[in-house]
Amino acid sequence: TQLLEQSPQFLSIQEGENLTVYCNSSSVFSSLQWYRQEPGEGPVLLVTVVTGGEVKKLKRLTFQFGDARKDSSLHITAAQPGDTGLYLCAGESTSGTYKYIFGTGTRLKVLA
Amino acid sequence: KAGVTQTPRYLIKTRGQQVTLSCSPISGHRSVSWYQQTPGQGLQFLFEYFSETQRNKGNFPGRFSGRQFSNSRSEMNVSTLELGDSALYLCASSDRTGAYEQYFGPGTRLTVT
């Protein structure tokens, strides 16, 4: 079974702090996406990374794809209450029956 | 472009009934995927349709079925509802070119009593 394990599972921090969320797998992915989901809504696509070692920035969010394309990280600088939500990584695997897999999720709460 | 729309947004059914959920993808997107999301299991893949053909299927019982129409709109049906079917059902569309990015609808919250 292909898995995308995210850590930490839960994170509660104060406004202004920095944080990093990890997304790990033993499988290789041809691309990997990060989504943010708010309660009662569908996930919203934040970014896609395709190349091993790739780094993408979206305002205060920095996304990195591992060199071997098996893992990714999301770093948030100076977190704000508006960053609160469920962060999901998802990837298009290069093997297996079904190619698109979602991570286990990281629930982030940023306190004002 | 208009986003992915799902109807209805909320639904309450009783055990043993059946339900049909609808999804309209982003214009031009031919791939539609369905997911079940629960607090305990997270996002679980149900099935994917592309150009009216089921391309992939997750590990759900046969009570869960779907179809896609020629205009790419998709429906999902659940027969003989069980309490455990209570969940947020999400539909996502993709144009399936390049990196596989999916765009989600707001979901249908199904409660089975």
Side-chain angles (χ1 to χ4, degrees), chain B residues 2-38:
Chain B
V4 177
T5 58
Q6 290 187 247
T7 56
R9 289 293 309 275
Y10 303 92
L11 206 49
I12 300 175
K13 291 284 189 178
T14 56
R15 274 186 305 174
Q17 286 187 314
Q18 75 163 21
V19 66
T20 299
L21 311 181
S22 181
C23 170
S24 292
I26 291 172
S27 177
H29 285 191
R30 293 195 292 168
S31 170
V32 173
S33 297
W34 288 90
Y35 295 86
Q36 181 196 67
Q37 188 175 34
T38 59

PDB file of all heavy atoms in Angstrom, chain B residues 2-38:
ATOM      1  N   ALA B   2     -15.987  29.143 -13.943  1.00  0.00           N
ATOM      2  CA  ALA B   2     -16.697  28.739 -12.740  1.00  0.00           C
ATOM      3  C   ALA B   2     -15.978  27.525 -12.162  1.00  0.00           C
ATOM      4  O   ALA B   2     -15.378  26.717 -12.877  1.00  0.00           O
ATOM      5  CB  ALA B   2     -18.130  28.393 -13.086  1.00  0.00           C
ATOM      6  N   GLY B   3     -16.060  27.398 -10.829  1.00  0.00           N
ATOM      7  CA  GLY B   3     -15.411  26.279 -10.160  1.00  0.00           C
ATOM      8  C   GLY B   3     -16.260  25.026 -10.227  1.00  0.00           C
ATOM      9  O   GLY B   3     -17.283  24.965 -10.903  1.00  0.00           O
ATOM     10  N   VAL B   4     -15.830  24.021  -9.503  1.00  0.00           N
ATOM     11  CA  VAL B   4     -16.556  22.763  -9.415  1.00  0.00           C
ATOM     12  C   VAL B   4     -17.771  22.965  -8.511  1.00  0.00           C
ATOM     13  O   VAL B   4     -17.644  23.550  -7.428  1.00  0.00           O
ATOM     14  CB  VAL B   4     -15.652  21.659  -8.827  1.00  0.00           C
ATOM     15  CG1 VAL B   4     -16.429  20.362  -8.674  1.00  0.00           C
ATOM     16  CG2 VAL B   4     -14.415  21.477  -9.690  1.00  0.00           C
ATOM     17  N   THR B   5     -18.904  22.523  -8.979  1.00  0.00           N
ATOM     18  CA  THR B   5     -20.111  22.663  -8.163  1.00  0.00           C
ATOM     19  C   THR B   5     -20.643  21.286  -7.802  1.00  0.00           C
ATOM     20  O   THR B   5     -20.563  20.336  -8.594  1.00  0.00           O
ATOM     21  CB  THR B   5     -21.201  23.467  -8.893  1.00  0.00           C
ATOM     22  OG1 THR B   5     -21.507  22.823 -10.133  1.00  0.00           O
ATOM     23  CG2 THR B   5     -20.744  24.880  -9.167  1.00  0.00           C
ATOM     24  N   GLN B   6     -21.165  21.190  -6.592  1.00  0.00           N
ATOM     25  CA  GLN B   6     -21.742  19.945  -6.116  1.00  0.00           C
ATOM     26  C   GLN B   6     -23.121  20.219  -5.533  1.00  0.00           C
ATOM     27  O   GLN B   6     -23.325  21.217  -4.840  1.00  0.00           O
ATOM     28  CB  GLN B   6     -20.859  19.313  -5.032  1.00  0.00           C
ATOM     29  CG  GLN B   6     -19.553  18.776  -5.551  1.00  0.00           C
ATOM     30  CD  GLN B   6     -18.782  18.007  -4.484  1.00  0.00           C
ATOM     31  OE1 GLN B   6     -17.732  18.428  -4.046  1.00  0.00           O
ATOM     32  NE2 GLN B   6     -19.318  16.856  -4.086  1.00  0.00           N
ATOM     33  N   THR B   7     -24.037  19.328  -5.833  1.00  0.00           N
ATOM     34  CA  THR B   7     -25.384  19.447  -5.268  1.00  0.00           C
ATOM     35  C   THR B   7     -25.872  18.082  -4.801  1.00  0.00           C
ATOM     36  O   THR B   7     -25.522  17.055  -5.412  1.00  0.00           O
ATOM     37  CB  THR B   7     -26.377  19.995  -6.306  1.00  0.00           C
ATOM     38  OG1 THR B   7     -26.369  19.156  -7.472  1.00  0.00           O
ATOM     39  CG2 THR B   7     -26.058  21.427  -6.677  1.00  0.00           C
ATOM     40  N   PRO B   8     -26.644  18.024  -3.726  1.00  0.00           N
ATOM     41  CA  PRO B   8     -26.895  19.139  -2.820  1.00  0.00           C
ATOM     42  C   PRO B   8     -25.706  19.368  -1.889  1.00  0.00           C
ATOM     43  O   PRO B   8     -24.759  18.592  -1.904  1.00  0.00           O
ATOM     44  CB  PRO B   8     -28.115  18.650  -2.043  1.00  0.00           C
ATOM     45  CG  PRO B   8     -27.923  17.173  -1.971  1.00  0.00           C
ATOM     46  CD  PRO B   8     -27.288  16.773  -3.283  1.00  0.00           C
ATOM     47  N   ARG B   9     -25.697  20.408  -1.126  1.00  0.00           N
ATOM     48  CA  ARG B   9     -24.614  20.649  -0.169  1.00  0.00           C
ATOM     49  C   ARG B   9     -24.800  19.835   1.101  1.00  0.00           C
ATOM     50  O   ARG B   9     -23.829  19.418   1.724  1.00  0.00           O
ATOM     51  CB  ARG B   9     -24.536  22.135   0.190  1.00  0.00           C
ATOM     52  CG  ARG B   9     -24.028  23.034  -0.917  1.00  0.00           C
ATOM     53  CD  ARG B   9     -22.560  22.768  -1.249  1.00  0.00           C
ATOM     54  NE  ARG B   9     -21.683  22.760  -0.103  1.00  0.00           N
ATOM     55  CZ  ARG B   9     -21.128  23.831   0.438  1.00  0.00           C
ATOM     56  NH1 ARG B   9     -21.369  25.020  -0.076  1.00  0.00           N
ATOM     57  NH2 ARG B   9     -20.315  23.720   1.483  1.00  0.00           N
ATOM     58  N   TYR B  10     -26.039  19.650   1.491  1.00  0.00           N
ATOM     59  CA  TYR B  10     -26.345  18.903   2.708  1.00  0.00           C
ATOM     60  C   TYR B  10     -27.485  17.932   2.425  1.00  0.00           C
ATOM     61  O   TYR B  10     -28.399  18.244   1.656  1.00  0.00           O
ATOM     62  CB  TYR B  10     -26.742  19.843   3.854  1.00  0.00           C
ATOM     63  CG  TYR B  10     -25.696  20.880   4.161  1.00  0.00           C
ATOM     64  CD1 TYR B  10     -25.729  22.125   3.552  1.00  0.00           C
ATOM     65  CD2 TYR B  10     -24.652  20.597   5.045  1.00  0.00           C
ATOM     66  CE1 TYR B  10     -24.757  23.076   3.827  1.00  0.00           C
ATOM     67  CE2 TYR B  10     -23.681  21.550   5.317  1.00  0.00           C
ATOM     68  CZ  TYR B  10     -23.739  22.782   4.712  1.00  0.00           C
ATOM     69  OH  TYR B  10     -22.774  23.715   4.973  1.00  0.00           O
ATOM     70  N   LEU B  11     -27.401  16.782   3.084  1.00  0.00           N
ATOM     71  CA  LEU B  11     -28.385  15.740   2.850  1.00  0.00           C
ATOM     72  C   LEU B  11     -28.514  14.886   4.101  1.00  0.00           C
ATOM     73  O   LEU B  11     -27.501  14.498   4.693  1.00  0.00           O
ATOM     74  CB  LEU B  11     -27.907  14.887   1.683  1.00  0.00           C
ATOM     75  CG  LEU B  11     -28.896  14.115   0.822  1.00  0.00           C
ATOM     76  CD1 LEU B  11     -30.043  14.980   0.361  1.00  0.00           C
ATOM     77  CD2 LEU B  11     -28.154  13.536  -0.379  1.00  0.00           C
ATOM     78  N   ILE B  12     -29.753  14.613   4.494  1.00  0.00           N
ATOM     79  CA  ILE B  12     -29.991  13.706   5.608  1.00  0.00           C
ATOM     80  C   ILE B  12     -30.848  12.559   5.095  1.00  0.00           C
ATOM     81  O   ILE B  12     -31.907  12.782   4.519  1.00  0.00           O
ATOM     82  CB  ILE B  12     -30.704  14.411   6.784  1.00  0.00           C
ATOM     83  CG1 ILE B  12     -29.840  15.569   7.296  1.00  0.00           C
ATOM     84  CG2 ILE B  12     -30.985  13.422   7.911  1.00  0.00           C
ATOM     85  CD1 ILE B  12     -30.518  16.404   8.378  1.00  0.00           C
ATOM     86  N   LYS B  13     -30.360  11.344   5.299  1.00  0.00           N
ATOM     87  CA  LYS B  13     -31.066  10.151   4.851  1.00  0.00           C
ATOM     88  C   LYS B  13     -31.133   9.152   5.998  1.00  0.00           C
ATOM     89  O   LYS B  13     -30.393   9.255   6.982  1.00  0.00           O
ATOM     90  CB  LYS B  13     -30.317   9.515   3.663  1.00  0.00           C
ATOM     91  CG  LYS B  13     -30.366  10.331   2.391  1.00  0.00           C
ATOM     92  CD  LYS B  13     -31.703  10.214   1.728  1.00  0.00           C
ATOM     93  CE  LYS B  13     -31.720  10.841   0.358  1.00  0.00           C
ATOM     94  NZ  LYS B  13     -33.038  10.687  -0.315  1.00  0.00           N
ATOM     95  N   THR B  14     -32.006   8.178   5.853  1.00  0.00           N
ATOM     96  CA  THR B  14     -32.088   7.130   6.860  1.00  0.00           C
ATOM     97  C   THR B  14     -31.466   5.852   6.312  1.00  0.00           C
ATOM     98  O   THR B  14     -31.358   5.665   5.093  1.00  0.00           O
ATOM     99  CB  THR B  14     -33.541   6.876   7.285  1.00  0.00           C
ATOM    100  OG1 THR B  14     -34.320   6.567   6.116  1.00  0.00           O
ATOM    101  CG2 THR B  14     -34.134   8.080   7.968  1.00  0.00           C
ATOM    102  N   ARG B  15     -31.079   4.995   7.231  1.00  0.00           N
ATOM    103  CA  ARG B  15     -30.470   3.719   6.865  1.00  0.00           C
ATOM    104  C   ARG B  15     -31.349   2.958   5.878  1.00  0.00           C
ATOM    105  O   ARG B  15     -32.574   2.923   6.013  1.00  0.00           O
ATOM    106  CB  ARG B  15     -30.256   2.856   8.099  1.00  0.00           C
ATOM    107  CG  ARG B  15     -28.966   3.113   8.812  1.00  0.00           C
ATOM    108  CD  ARG B  15     -28.747   2.133   9.939  1.00  0.00           C
ATOM    109  NE  ARG B  15     -29.858   2.113  10.878  1.00  0.00           N
ATOM    110  CZ  ARG B  15     -29.959   1.267  11.871  1.00  0.00           C
ATOM    111  NH1 ARG B  15     -29.027   0.349  12.076  1.00  0.00           N
ATOM    112  NH2 ARG B  15     -30.992   1.312  12.694  1.00  0.00           N
ATOM    113  N   GLY B  16     -30.724   2.352   4.898  1.00  0.00           N
ATOM    114  CA  GLY B  16     -31.441   1.560   3.918  1.00  0.00           C
ATOM    115  C   GLY B  16     -31.862   2.331   2.678  1.00  0.00           C
ATOM    116  O   GLY B  16     -32.154   1.718   1.633  1.00  0.00           O
ATOM    117  N   GLN B  17     -31.900   3.647   2.777  1.00  0.00           N
ATOM    118  CA  GLN B  17     -32.261   4.452   1.602  1.00  0.00           C
ATOM    119  C   GLN B  17     -31.082   4.521   0.639  1.00  0.00           C
ATOM    120  O   GLN B  17     -29.979   4.058   0.943  1.00  0.00           O
ATOM    121  CB  GLN B  17     -32.658   5.866   2.038  1.00  0.00           C
ATOM    122  CG  GLN B  17     -34.010   5.957   2.701  1.00  0.00           C
ATOM    123  CD  GLN B  17     -34.416   7.397   2.955  1.00  0.00           C
ATOM    124  OE1 GLN B  17     -33.628   8.210   3.448  1.00  0.00           O
ATOM    125  NE2 GLN B  17     -35.655   7.728   2.615  1.00  0.00           N
ATOM    126  N   GLN B  18     -31.334   5.107  -0.514  1.00  0.00           N
ATOM    127  CA  GLN B  18     -30.246   5.353  -1.455  1.00  0.00           C
ATOM    128  C   GLN B  18     -30.150   6.852  -1.712  1.00  0.00           C
ATOM    129  O   GLN B  18     -31.091   7.611  -1.433  1.00  0.00           O
ATOM    130  CB  GLN B  18     -30.458   4.599  -2.767  1.00  0.00           C
ATOM    131  CG  GLN B  18     -31.503   5.186  -3.686  1.00  0.00           C
ATOM    132  CD  GLN B  18     -31.373   4.637  -5.110  1.00  0.00           C
ATOM    133  OE1 GLN B  18     -30.787   3.589  -5.348  1.00  0.00           O
ATOM    134  NE2 GLN B  18     -31.928   5.335  -6.060  1.00  0.00           N
ATOM    135  N   VAL B  19     -29.005   7.274  -2.234  1.00  0.00           N
ATOM    136  CA  VAL B  19     -28.783   8.698  -2.459  1.00  0.00           C
ATOM    137  C   VAL B  19     -27.974   8.894  -3.738  1.00  0.00           C
ATOM    138  O   VAL B  19     -27.146   8.044  -4.101  1.00  0.00           O
ATOM    139  CB  VAL B  19     -28.044   9.322  -1.252  1.00  0.00           C
ATOM    140  CG1 VAL B  19     -26.626   8.767  -1.122  1.00  0.00           C
ATOM    141  CG2 VAL B  19     -28.007  10.833  -1.347  1.00  0.00           C
ATOM    142  N   THR B  20     -28.246   9.992  -4.423  1.00  0.00           N
ATOM    143  CA  THR B  20     -27.478  10.357  -5.623  1.00  0.00           C
ATOM    144  C   THR B  20     -26.931  11.759  -5.441  1.00  0.00           C
ATOM    145  O   THR B  20     -27.678  12.689  -5.116  1.00  0.00           O
ATOM    146  CB  THR B  20     -28.360  10.313  -6.879  1.00  0.00           C
ATOM    147  OG1 THR B  20     -28.850   8.976  -7.067  1.00  0.00           O
ATOM    148  CG2 THR B  20     -27.553  10.721  -8.108  1.00  0.00           C
ATOM    149  N   LEU B  21     -25.629  11.892  -5.622  1.00  0.00           N
ATOM    150  CA  LEU B  21     -24.963  13.177  -5.514  1.00  0.00           C
ATOM    151  C   LEU B  21     -24.492  13.599  -6.903  1.00  0.00           C
ATOM    152  O   LEU B  21     -24.116  12.756  -7.720  1.00  0.00           O
ATOM    153  CB  LEU B  21     -23.750  13.076  -4.572  1.00  0.00           C
ATOM    154  CG  LEU B  21     -23.996  12.407  -3.229  1.00  0.00           C
ATOM    155  CD1 LEU B  21     -22.701  12.412  -2.407  1.00  0.00           C
ATOM    156  CD2 LEU B  21     -25.114  13.068  -2.473  1.00  0.00           C
ATOM    157  N   SER B  22     -24.481  14.913  -7.135  1.00  0.00           N
ATOM    158  CA  SER B  22     -24.129  15.415  -8.457  1.00  0.00           C
ATOM    159  C   SER B  22     -22.913  16.327  -8.405  1.00  0.00           C
ATOM    160  O   SER B  22     -22.695  17.037  -7.418  1.00  0.00           O
ATOM    161  CB  SER B  22     -25.319  16.162  -9.048  1.00  0.00           C
ATOM    162  OG  SER B  22     -25.022  16.644 -10.333  1.00  0.00           O
ATOM    163  N   CYS B  23     -22.147  16.306  -9.490  1.00  0.00           N
ATOM    164  CA  CYS B  23     -20.933  17.123  -9.575  1.00  0.00           C
ATOM    165  C   CYS B  23     -20.805  17.683 -10.990  1.00  0.00           C
ATOM    166  O   CYS B  23     -20.866  16.924 -11.960  1.00  0.00           O
ATOM    167  CB  CYS B  23     -19.723  16.272  -9.230  1.00  0.00           C
ATOM    168  SG  CYS B  23     -18.126  17.067  -9.558  1.00  0.00           S
ATOM    169  N   SER B  24     -20.600  18.984 -11.084  1.00  0.00           N
ATOM    170  CA  SER B  24     -20.315  19.611 -12.375  1.00  0.00           C
ATOM    171  C   SER B  24     -18.883  20.114 -12.357  1.00  0.00           C
ATOM    172  O   SER B  24     -18.541  20.979 -11.541  1.00  0.00           O
ATOM    173  CB  SER B  24     -21.285  20.768 -12.643  1.00  0.00           C
ATOM    174  OG  SER B  24     -22.584  20.298 -12.841  1.00  0.00           O
ATOM    175  N   PRO B  25     -18.021  19.591 -13.226  1.00  0.00           N
ATOM    176  CA  PRO B  25     -16.610  19.971 -13.190  1.00  0.00           C
ATOM    177  C   PRO B  25     -16.378  21.342 -13.809  1.00  0.00           C
ATOM    178  O   PRO B  25     -17.290  21.930 -14.406  1.00  0.00           O
ATOM    179  CB  PRO B  25     -15.940  18.882 -14.029  1.00  0.00           C
ATOM    180  CG  PRO B  25     -16.997  18.490 -15.013  1.00  0.00           C
ATOM    181  CD  PRO B  25     -18.295  18.602 -14.275  1.00  0.00           C
ATOM    182  N   ILE B  26     -15.159  21.808 -13.686  1.00  0.00           N
ATOM    183  CA  ILE B  26     -14.751  23.036 -14.347  1.00  0.00           C
ATOM    184  C   ILE B  26     -14.871  22.826 -15.848  1.00  0.00           C
ATOM    185  O   ILE B  26     -14.535  21.741 -16.362  1.00  0.00           O
ATOM    186  CB  ILE B  26     -13.308  23.402 -13.956  1.00  0.00           C
ATOM    187  CG1 ILE B  26     -13.267  23.820 -12.485  1.00  0.00           C
ATOM    188  CG2 ILE B  26     -12.741  24.498 -14.843  1.00  0.00           C
ATOM    189  CD1 ILE B  26     -11.865  24.027 -11.938  1.00  0.00           C
ATOM    190  N   SER B  27     -15.346  23.847 -16.553  1.00  0.00           N
ATOM    191  CA  SER B  27     -15.525  23.739 -17.989  1.00  0.00           C
ATOM    192  C   SER B  27     -14.224  23.323 -18.669  1.00  0.00           C
ATOM    193  O   SER B  27     -13.163  23.911 -18.427  1.00  0.00           O
ATOM    194  CB  SER B  27     -15.982  25.094 -18.535  1.00  0.00           C
ATOM    195  OG  SER B  27     -16.114  25.053 -19.935  1.00  0.00           O
ATOM    196  N   GLY B  28     -14.306  22.292 -19.497  1.00  0.00           N
ATOM    197  CA  GLY B  28     -13.121  21.810 -20.202  1.00  0.00           C
ATOM    198  C   GLY B  28     -12.414  20.662 -19.508  1.00  0.00           C
ATOM    199  O   GLY B  28     -11.581  19.979 -20.116  1.00  0.00           O
ATOM    200  N   HIS B  29     -12.705  20.448 -18.241  1.00  0.00           N
ATOM    201  CA  HIS B  29     -12.105  19.325 -17.518  1.00  0.00           C
ATOM    202  C   HIS B  29     -12.880  18.048 -17.819  1.00  0.00           C
ATOM    203  O   HIS B  29     -14.104  18.014 -17.685  1.00  0.00           O
ATOM    204  CB  HIS B  29     -12.110  19.589 -16.007  1.00  0.00           C
ATOM    205  CG  HIS B  29     -11.092  20.571 -15.571  1.00  0.00           C
ATOM    206  ND1 HIS B  29     -10.779  20.773 -14.239  1.00  0.00           N
ATOM    207  CD2 HIS B  29     -10.286  21.407 -16.276  1.00  0.00           C
ATOM    208  CE1 HIS B  29      -9.835  21.699 -14.145  1.00  0.00           C
ATOM    209  NE2 HIS B  29      -9.521  22.103 -15.371  1.00  0.00           N
ATOM    210  N   ARG B  30     -12.155  17.000 -18.185  1.00  0.00           N
ATOM    211  CA  ARG B  30     -12.834  15.754 -18.523  1.00  0.00           C
ATOM    212  C   ARG B  30     -12.665  14.668 -17.459  1.00  0.00           C
ATOM    213  O   ARG B  30     -13.292  13.623 -17.533  1.00  0.00           O
ATOM    214  CB  ARG B  30     -12.328  15.241 -19.872  1.00  0.00           C
ATOM    215  CG  ARG B  30     -12.738  16.168 -21.027  1.00  0.00           C
ATOM    216  CD  ARG B  30     -12.570  15.487 -22.362  1.00  0.00           C
ATOM    217  NE  ARG B  30     -11.168  15.255 -22.694  1.00  0.00           N
ATOM    218  CZ  ARG B  30     -10.764  14.472 -23.682  1.00  0.00           C
ATOM    219  NH1 ARG B  30     -11.628  13.805 -24.400  1.00  0.00           N
ATOM    220  NH2 ARG B  30      -9.498  14.332 -23.937  1.00  0.00           N
ATOM    221  N   SER B  31     -11.807  14.926 -16.485  1.00  0.00           N
ATOM    222  CA  SER B  31     -11.594  13.949 -15.419  1.00  0.00           C
ATOM    223  C   SER B  31     -12.344  14.392 -14.163  1.00  0.00           C
ATOM    224  O   SER B  31     -12.213  15.538 -13.732  1.00  0.00           O
ATOM    225  CB  SER B  31     -10.101  13.817 -15.110  1.00  0.00           C
ATOM    226  OG  SER B  31      -9.894  13.058 -13.945  1.00  0.00           O
ATOM    227  N   VAL B  32     -13.112  13.485 -13.599  1.00  0.00           N
ATOM    228  CA  VAL B  32     -13.832  13.755 -12.348  1.00  0.00           C
ATOM    229  C   VAL B  32     -13.539  12.615 -11.380  1.00  0.00           C
ATOM    230  O   VAL B  32     -13.692  11.443 -11.729  1.00  0.00           O
ATOM    231  CB  VAL B  32     -15.354  13.869 -12.567  1.00  0.00           C
ATOM    232  CG1 VAL B  32     -16.071  13.987 -11.223  1.00  0.00           C
ATOM    233  CG2 VAL B  32     -15.674  15.080 -13.432  1.00  0.00           C
ATOM    234  N   SER B  33     -13.113  12.970 -10.189  1.00  0.00           N
ATOM    235  CA  SER B  33     -12.843  11.980  -9.143  1.00  0.00           C
ATOM    236  C   SER B  33     -13.746  12.240  -7.957  1.00  0.00           C
ATOM    237  O   SER B  33     -14.108  13.385  -7.681  1.00  0.00           O
ATOM    238  CB  SER B  33     -11.381  12.052  -8.700  1.00  0.00           C
ATOM    239  OG  SER B  33     -10.513  11.732  -9.747  1.00  0.00           O
ATOM    240  N   TRP B  34     -14.092  11.186  -7.261  1.00  0.00           N
ATOM    241  CA  TRP B  34     -14.912  11.285  -6.049  1.00  0.00           C
ATOM    242  C   TRP B  34     -14.122  10.772  -4.853  1.00  0.00           C
ATOM    243  O   TRP B  34     -13.413   9.766  -4.954  1.00  0.00           O
ATOM    244  CB  TRP B  34     -16.188  10.460  -6.205  1.00  0.00           C
ATOM    245  CG  TRP B  34     -17.187  11.045  -7.148  1.00  0.00           C
ATOM    246  CD1 TRP B  34     -17.277  10.817  -8.494  1.00  0.00           C
ATOM    247  CD2 TRP B  34     -18.256  11.932  -6.823  1.00  0.00           C
ATOM    248  NE1 TRP B  34     -18.334  11.527  -9.020  1.00  0.00           N
ATOM    249  CE2 TRP B  34     -18.961  12.209  -8.016  1.00  0.00           C
ATOM    250  CE3 TRP B  34     -18.700  12.520  -5.636  1.00  0.00           C
ATOM    251  CZ2 TRP B  34     -20.077  13.053  -8.058  1.00  0.00           C
ATOM    252  CZ3 TRP B  34     -19.810  13.354  -5.676  1.00  0.00           C
ATOM    253  CH2 TRP B  34     -20.487  13.611  -6.874  1.00  0.00           C
ATOM    254  N   TYR B  35     -14.298  11.452  -3.724  1.00  0.00           N
ATOM    255  CA  TYR B  35     -13.624  11.084  -2.495  1.00  0.00           C
ATOM    256  C   TYR B  35     -14.622  11.100  -1.341  1.00  0.00           C
ATOM    257  O   TYR B  35     -15.574  11.886  -1.334  1.00  0.00           O
ATOM    258  CB  TYR B  35     -12.500  12.067  -2.151  1.00  0.00           C
ATOM    259  CG  TYR B  35     -11.360  12.080  -3.132  1.00  0.00           C
ATOM    260  CD1 TYR B  35     -11.412  12.873  -4.279  1.00  0.00           C
ATOM    261  CD2 TYR B  35     -10.224  11.307  -2.917  1.00  0.00           C
ATOM    262  CE1 TYR B  35     -10.352  12.893  -5.178  1.00  0.00           C
ATOM    263  CE2 TYR B  35      -9.166  11.330  -3.813  1.00  0.00           C
ATOM    264  CZ  TYR B  35      -9.244  12.125  -4.935  1.00  0.00           C
ATOM    265  OH  TYR B  35      -8.213  12.139  -5.831  1.00  0.00           O
ATOM    266  N   GLN B  36     -14.365  10.243  -0.364  1.00  0.00           N
ATOM    267  CA  GLN B  36     -15.105  10.267   0.885  1.00  0.00           C
ATOM    268  C   GLN B  36     -14.160  10.771   1.967  1.00  0.00           C
ATOM    269  O   GLN B  36     -13.035  10.282   2.079  1.00  0.00           O
ATOM    270  CB  GLN B  36     -15.603   8.866   1.250  1.00  0.00           C
ATOM    271  CG  GLN B  36     -16.419   8.815   2.534  1.00  0.00           C
ATOM    272  CD  GLN B  36     -16.575   7.396   3.068  1.00  0.00           C
ATOM    273  OE1 GLN B  36     -15.606   6.767   3.486  1.00  0.00           O
ATOM    274  NE2 GLN B  36     -17.806   6.889   3.060  1.00  0.00           N
ATOM    275  N   GLN B  37     -14.606  11.734   2.745  1.00  0.00           N
ATOM    276  CA  GLN B  37     -13.761  12.252   3.813  1.00  0.00           C
ATOM    277  C   GLN B  37     -14.467  12.113   5.154  1.00  0.00           C
ATOM    278  O   GLN B  37     -15.588  12.600   5.340  1.00  0.00           O
ATOM    279  CB  GLN B  37     -13.398  13.722   3.578  1.00  0.00           C
ATOM    280  CG  GLN B  37     -12.371  14.248   4.570  1.00  0.00           C
ATOM    281  CD  GLN B  37     -11.934  15.667   4.255  1.00  0.00           C
ATOM    282  OE1 GLN B  37     -12.718  16.473   3.769  1.00  0.00           O
ATOM    283  NE2 GLN B  37     -10.666  15.980   4.518  1.00  0.00           N
ATOM    284  N   THR B  38     -13.810  11.438   6.078  1.00  0.00           N
ATOM    285  CA  THR B  38     -14.309  11.290   7.442  1.00  0.00           C
ATOM    286  C   THR B  38     -13.196  11.647   8.400  1.00  0.00           C
ATOM    287  O   THR B  38     -12.015  11.560   8.054  1.00  0.00           O
ATOM    288  CB  THR B  38     -14.770   9.835   7.711  1.00  0.00           C
ATOM    289  OG1 THR B  38     -13.660   8.953   7.494  1.00  0.00           O
ATOM    290  CG2 THR B  38     -15.923   9.442   6.816  1.00  0.00           C
TER     291      THR B  38
END
